[in-house]
Amino acid sequence: MLELRYYGDPVLRKKAAPVEKFDDDLKEFVAQMIEAMGAEDGVGLAAPQIGVSLRLAVIDASGGESAPYVLINPEIVYSTAESEDYEEGCLSMPGISLKINRPAQLSVKAQNENGEFYTIENAAGLLSRALQHEIDHLNGILFIDHVSSVQRALLKGKLKKISEKNA
Ligand code: NI
């Protein structure tokens, strides 16, 4: 089982490297990530959250209704000027949920585990939110970076407790 990294682990602050090798090891790793996301009841999981600094994330915004998205080397190719508030949480910061303001819709280009390019057009709602949150992880950005310093200061005690979960 893959081990989750929590707030305070330096890997969560690193800009992840592009995936270059689309081999069997990668497919196996993607399968493990999907399994870990399901086990944690997560909407998304980025590779840095399990200590692997690669540009790779999985998302299931359908509650298991459809196959999860495998996003390798994802890029936001379009986002709306219109933004919205949406409640976010993160497996690396259990117990914290915050309303975050981000673009309402966006389109993302990515590769799948076979290296094939595909585009998710005009994602909205939970999928849009999960895409932005997970792509942030690949750039070392956490959702708490999007709130005011005052709001963040109020989380200090909770974040300290969470960081102590890192083995
Ligand atoms: Ni997260």
Side-chain angles (χ1 to χ4, degrees):
M1 194 65 193
L2 303 174
E3 205 180 305
L4 266 177
R5 303 297 179 92
Y6 297 100
Y7 177 83
D9 189 312
V11 73
L12 294 175
R13 288 306 194 179
K14 268 179 77 177
K15 189 171 159 73
V19 172
E20 284 167 358
K21 252 206 231 157
F22 293 85
D23 56 9
D24 286 347
D25 286 349
L26 181 75
K27 289 191 182 85
E28 173 61 26
F29 180 61
V30 166
Q32 287 180 4
M33 280 191 57
I34 290 170
E35 198 186 313
M37 173 174 65
E40 299 287 343
D41 245 341
V43 171
L45 182 67
Q49 292 184 276
I50 43 160
V52 176
S53 194
L54 284 175
R55 305 190 76 75
L56 195 167
V58 293
I59 289 178
D60 178 6
S62 74
E65 292 282 304
S66 45
Y69 286 104
V70 175
L71 298 139
I72 301 176
N73 304 326
E75 303 278 355
I76 295 172
V77 291
Y78 164 79
S79 60
T80 51
E82 184 205 341
S83 64
E84 66 184 4
D85 280 341
Y86 209 101
E87 192 99 6
E88 291 185 36
C90 181
L91 292 176
S92 296
M93 281 168 273
I96 295 179
S97 68
L98 295 167
K99 264 200 186 121
I100 310 284
N101 192 269
R102 299 189 195 251
Q105 291 188 30
L106 78 168
S107 299
V108 169
K109 187 180 170 187
Q111 284 166 282
N112 65 16
E113 62 267 55
N114 299 313
E116 296 153 354
F117 285 93
Y118 70 101
T119 306
I120 302 173
E121 303 275 3
N122 299 314
L126 182 60
L127 178 59
S128 162
R129 192 43 66 119
L131 285 165
Q132 295 179 75
H133 180 116
E134 299 311 328
I135 291 171
D136 265 2
H137 271 303
L138 307 183
N139 294 319
I141 298 166
L142 301 173
F143 77 127
I144 54 167
D145 301 344
H146 293 280
V147 300
S148 69
S149 51
V150 174
Q151 242 184 311
R152 212 158 38 240
L154 293 172
L155 295 169
K156 224 178 148 190
K158 267 191 185 175
L159 289 171
K160 188 171 178 292
K161 267 229 169 86
I162 290 168
S163 69
E164 286 161 3
K165 289 164 71 79
N166 286 309

